[in-house]
Amino acid sequence: MSASGGTKAIVAALAANLAIAVAKFVAFLFSGSSSMLAESVHSLADSGNQGLLLLGGKKAQREATPQHPFGYGRERYIYAFLVSIVLFSVGGMFAIYEGYEKIKHPHEIEAWYWPVGVLVFAIIAETFSFRTAIKESNLLRGDLSWTQFVRRAKAPELPVVLLEDLGALVGLILALGGVSLALGTGNGVWDGIGTLCIGVLLIAIAIVLAAETKSLLLGEAAGIDDIEKIKAATVDGETVTRIIHMRTLHLGPEELLVAAKIAVERHETADEVANAIDAAEARIREAVPIARVIYLEPDIYNESATAAGAESAKSPGGDGH
């Protein structure tokens, strides 16, 4: 997944959320609507989240060091995980608290045109941000459904922005519904109910984000397509006859580690094996450019030993074929 596409979507979301946060807070000051307060905190939290994603992307570009020999690419996952925590705590829990207080102590909304006007403006701005995220995601999504894209994406920025923008739009509709019902019935409880629904929505999105980024933090293998490309590129049918077993691991969204035990012929000399490994590494990098760290261990293929080693069957490409 391209970092540039993610950055463009993040900047668009950040600009929209900052403008919306200010407008919502002004509307809260004039109207006293708890939905407006919850939404202003939501937009402020989203702005902080986009700042975290940009910071994570910047830190991930640092060069490898002796202490961190594989670089800092996975910092992008760490900051994406922090986003889910912020969304849960600052956005979701605050909204639930405000909704509970408003239901317990309801009061009428004053200067109704402020919250309604700001919500309409916010929906337009969030739609623009969401449209940008969808456009950038479509360049990378291919034939995947949106659910598959969010679950399989190795770069966290676009899925995070997509879910945040979706949550923001649905939250705005809930806030507008709560304010409208409160104005129509004269009962401020509806404003509190709308705020409560926003909180539940934000917590649900935060849980999804946390689950997906946790998987990335733990370390995910390459996608199925990339694994097949690596397998095809490794074996030349002459010196390298098969992959005995293989492991892949994302060191970051755009950096892949490949470690494999490869079968070579018994009669090959050390020079021939070394040249074959170099050639295989070059083919792998050409087929999958993000495969930047490659370790290939030559061995003599022994069918009975491979069959007895259950470990090989547990990794993608490790079936001996």
Side-chain angles (χ1 to χ4, degrees), residues 61-73:
Q61 295 173 6
R62 289 179 293 170
E63 294 293 329
T65 65
Q67 188 175 9
H68 297 93
F70 293 117
Y72 294 85

Side-chain angles (χ1 to χ4, degrees), residues 15-83:
N17 279 314
L18 285 174
I20 292 168
V22 172
K24 288 174 180 176
F25 192 70
V26 170
F28 160 71
L29 292 177
F30 280 94
S31 67
S33 166
S34 68
S35 290
M36 281 290 92
L37 180 58
E39 276 295 311
S40 63
V41 172
H42 174 194
S43 293
L44 193 61
D46 280 354
S47 300
N49 288 342
Q50 276 109 44
L52 285 172
L53 292 176
L54 290 172
L55 179 62
K58 182 71 174 177
K59 284 183 170 292
Q61 295 173 6
R62 289 179 293 170
E63 294 293 329
T65 65
Q67 188 175 9
H68 297 93
F70 293 117
Y72 294 85
R74 293 174 76 175
E75 284 221 42
R76 287 166 68 179
Y77 302 149
I78 294 172
Y79 281 86
F81 189 75
L82 290 176
V83 165

Side-chain angles (χ1 to χ4, degrees), residues 108-255:
E108 291 187 11
I109 295 176
E110 302 170 2
W112 63 269
Y113 40 85
W114 275 101
V116 172
V118 166
L119 285 171
V120 171
F121 161 73
I123 288 173
I124 294 172
E126 284 290 358
T127 300
F128 169 77
S129 175
F130 193 37
R131 179 178 175 273
T132 302
I134 290 174
K135 183 178 178 181
E136 295 300 319
S137 298
N138 278 333
L139 297 175
L140 304 165
R141 186 166 64 95
D143 296 329
L144 296 176
S145 67
W146 286 109
T147 300
Q148 291 173 327
F149 175 71
V150 170
R151 291 184 62 85
R152 297 184 187 179
K154 303 304 181 184
E157 290 83 3
L158 283 175
V160 168
V161 173
L162 277 169
L163 288 175
E164 275 192 350
D165 285 351
L166 177 62
L169 276 173
V170 175
L172 288 167
I173 293 170
L174 290 172
L176 185 60
V179 169
S180 299
L181 287 170
L183 291 171
T185 62
N187 187 350
V189 169
W190 288 107
D191 187 28
I193 292 173
T195 307
L196 203 63
C197 291
I198 292 169
V200 172
L201 171 70
L202 293 180
I203 288 175
I205 291 175
I207 290 172
V208 172
L209 285 177
E212 293 305 317
T213 52
K214 173 191 170 186
S215 178
L216 292 169
L217 274 172
L218 289 174
E220 289 190 356
I224 296 174
D225 289 344
D226 282 344
I227 287 173
E228 292 302 319
K229 290 178 183 177
I230 292 169
K231 290 165 66 176
T234 303
V235 178
D236 62 7
E238 297 177 5
T239 306
V240 181
T241 58
R242 68 172 64 214
I243 295 173
I244 299 173
H245 63 78
M246 181 174 75
R247 300 286 192 275
T248 62
L249 178 69
H250 268 274
L251 301 174
E254 287 135 18
E255 188 170 11

